[in-house]
Amino acid sequence: MEAVKSYRIPVEAPKDLIEEYFKVKQKALDVIFSHVKFSRRVHLEFNKEERKALRDELLKDWRFSKHYVDSAVNSIIGLVKGWITLHNKGRAGSKPEITRKTVYIKSTLFSCRSGVLKISIEPNKRYLEVDLTKYGWIPKDFDATGGLIMTERELIVTVKKSVEPKADKWASFDVNLTNITAIIDGKVKHYDLRGLYHIHRAYEVKRQRMQKLSKLKPETSKRLLKKYSRRERNRAKDLIHKLTANIARELKEVQSGVILEELRNIKDRVLNGSKNMNRKLSKWNVRMFQFTLEYKLKWLGLPVKYVNPRNSSKTCPLCSGSMASYGGRIMKCEKCNVILDRDVIAVLNLQMRGAGFTQRALNELIERERVK
Ligand SMILES: [Zn+2]
């Protein structure tokens, strides 16, 4: 299995290349778009000879490495084909547009030795060197780099590694609005998510204020709302990244895979229909946490499995009896009378469904967590 990670690195990109590449893309777009046939079903007729002729034409005053022209042509063919697909569905504008000044750098255009990327700008005379080892957050144990994407201010680097996921044991995570309850190495652990909750709350207050403004200045309020949403997401993502990085490290130490709740189920449908803000936030947190953790574990060669969480906080983990509320977050089994915290019940059931427990380990855990 291949694990992939992407990183953004600030670079001073060669402005001349960025500008010339953009011009070449615009020329290529004019030519390639003229090969779009507007018969009943719109399609592209652009054969090898025509492609070669375009390439030769574009290379005439091109002083940079030739592969850039190939990547520009490829990206424009992709752009036009994407536009055709949309057009045939009746959802495209009048003409495809190049929206960003990005350069796709094929693997033939760079080498990577001892963590230093050497990107060819002009053949045999001009290079851009980027020392990846300067960026501590980029892993050093990758096998290969994928294609690079360069913008005016940054380089997006993709690193790859082949992994064979395996685990000696399993951990489980149950994510709520203000906390995460986990079982790691047979023990219950709690992670505080109140910081995340406060981020969401603070922005909700801002949004409400904006909505009052929307009648007076609809454009301004729309723009500000967008900005707030983006900031909220970024701050929340940042927090989840830091949290999952720590969790992933902990799990690697005990070589533990992870059991998570499968979201496509009844509970999810209930949440979708809900207008309740807390429930929406809770769902967002769960998705973001799961996605981020899985991404990090994949790189470490640790497997992730999903189990159906149906009734997981209402079923007794000891006797499968049903649990009834016993005040606040506390639940009591109607059959065997064990009293446990609702979050502990949920995560315990996930663990049992995903991996099981030995009777002894289960008894020990219940003894520690039992509410007296
Ligand atoms: Zn019970």
Side-chain angles (χ1 to χ4, degrees):
M1 201 169 91
E2 189 172 62
V4 175
K5 281 192 162 193
S6 294
Y7 297 92
R8 290 168 180 274
I9 298 165
V11 290
E12 194 66 58
K15 284 199 178 63
D16 52 348
L17 172 64
I18 299 258
E19 289 307 321
E20 292 301 314
Y21 186 87
F22 186 64
K23 280 186 203 159
V24 155
K25 280 210 305 196
Q26 278 173 323
K27 279 190 208 162
L29 179 58
D30 290 338
V31 173
I32 295 169
F33 193 65
S34 72
H35 285 81
V36 172
K37 302 295 171 220
F38 288 86
S39 50
R40 251 190 313 155
R41 202 174 163 74
V42 177
H43 63 284
L44 179 65
E45 274 177 25
F46 189 56
N47 63 30
K48 266 188 188 161
E49 286 73 41
E50 288 161 338
R51 188 189 169 122
K52 189 174 177 305
L54 171 64
R55 182 179 191 268
D56 292 344
E57 177 64 30
L58 294 174
L59 279 172
K60 266 180 190 162
D61 322 297
W62 187 256
R63 66 177 186 280
F64 305 99
S65 303
K66 287 182 181 177
H67 284 294
Y68 284 112
V69 167
D70 298 316
S71 100
V73 171
N74 278 339
S75 83
I76 293 301
I77 291 175
L79 177 73
V80 170
K81 284 185 173 167
W83 179 87
I84 290 173
T85 307
L86 280 180
H87 182 86
N88 284 332
K89 288 179 185 162
R91 296 209 315 257
S94 59
K95 204 187 164 188
E97 268 173 75
I98 303 163
T99 48
R100 286 198 181 137
K101 288 189 176 171
T102 49
V103 178
Y104 180 68
I105 306 172
K106 299 205 295 181
S107 55
T108 45
L109 280 165
F110 66 90
S111 64
C112 184
R113 279 195 195 95
S114 323
V116 180
L117 281 174
K118 193 176 177 190
I119 303 165
S120 165
I121 304 297
E122 288 180 53
N124 303 322
K125 72 176 199 219
R126 194 171 152 210
Y127 298 92
L128 174 67
E129 287 197 333
V130 183
D131 186 355
L132 297 181
T133 61
K134 278 202 316 199
Y135 303 93
W137 63 88
I138 300 179
K140 286 161 187 65
D141 58 341
F142 58 86
D143 303 334
T145 44
L148 308 172
I149 295 170
M150 185 163 65
T151 69
E152 286 153 295
R153 267 172 244 99
E154 57 188 11
L155 191 68
I156 302 167
V157 179
T158 304
V159 292
K160 297 177 184 176
K161 182 167 86 168
S162 99
V163 285
E164 224 37 79
K166 66 171 201 296
D168 296 337
K169 47 188 104 176
W170 293 90
S172 310
F173 290 84
D174 182 66
V175 185
N176 281 309
L177 190 61
T178 54
N179 74 83
I180 293 174
T181 308
I183 295 177
I184 300 177
D185 210 4
K187 292 185 190 72
V188 173
K189 271 197 87 167
H190 302 278
Y191 298 88
D192 196 347
L193 279 188
R194 275 176 301 180
L196 187 59
Y197 182 70
H198 286 146
I199 292 173
H200 290 312
R201 279 266 92 58
Y203 280 94
E204 204 194 326
V205 171
K206 282 184 190 214
R207 267 196 299 272
Q208 279 165 354
R209 238 182 265 145
M210 271 310 114
Q211 260 137 18
K212 281 179 196 151
L213 184 78
S214 68
K215 272 182 195 151
L216 288 151
K217 292 176 176 171
E219 282 308 310
T220 315
S221 98
K222 215 171 140 189
R223 186 171 50 78
L224 284 173
L225 273 176
K226 240 186 174 167
K227 187 174 92 178
Y228 287 149
S229 297
R230 197 175 52 236
R231 277 199 195 155
E232 176 184 8
R233 261 199 313 276
N234 286 344
R235 285 188 60 196
K237 276 184 188 173
D238 196 48
L239 193 146
I240 289 180
H241 265 294
K242 283 179 185 140
L243 175 67
T244 50
N246 288 333
I247 291 176
R249 218 172 295 129
E250 261 180 84
L251 294 168
K252 186 64 190 171
E253 274 170 28
V254 286
Q255 196 58 31
S256 175
V258 158
I259 301 160
L260 299 169
E261 60 174 310
E262 169 70 65
L263 285 175
R264 273 167 291 162
N265 59 62
I266 299 161
K267 196 170 144 198
D268 200 36
R269 249 181 280 143
V270 172
L271 290 181
N272 265 329
S274 167
K275 285 198 173 67
N276 185 319
M277 194 42 109
N278 281 352
R279 293 194 132 192
K280 276 187 185 161
L281 287 180
S282 177
K283 194 172 97 174
W284 189 90
N285 287 354
V286 176
R287 282 192 199 289
M288 199 59 211
F289 174 80
Q290 292 190 343
F291 175 80
T292 316
L293 184 63
E294 182 164 1
Y295 170 83
K296 293 200 157 82
L297 292 184
K298 212 171 162 188
W299 188 264
L300 298 173
L302 295 172
V304 175
K305 62 173 143 184
Y306 289 88
V307 297
N308 188 343
R310 200 177 169 189
N311 290 330
S312 62
S313 52
K314 290 182 219 148
T315 310
C316 175
L318 271 181
C319 73
S320 304
S322 60
M323 309 285 293
S325 178
Y326 198 64
R329 305 281 301 167
I330 307 298
M331 312 276 280
K332 184 180 179 182
C333 177
E334 289 171 333
K335 220 161 126 192
C336 76
N337 294 327
V338 67
I339 303 171
L340 291 163
D341 182 279
R342 195 188 172 91
D343 298 332
V344 172
I345 299 166
V347 74
L348 205 45
N349 277 313
L350 288 185
Q351 180 77 23
M352 311 246 289
R353 288 172 199 185
F357 256 117
T358 62
Q359 192 60 49
R360 189 167 154 212
L362 179 63
N363 289 343
E364 279 174 12
L365 192 145
I366 297 269
E367 274 323 304
R368 276 197 303 272
E369 297 300 321
R370 184 194 290 274
V371 180
K372 277 142 197 147

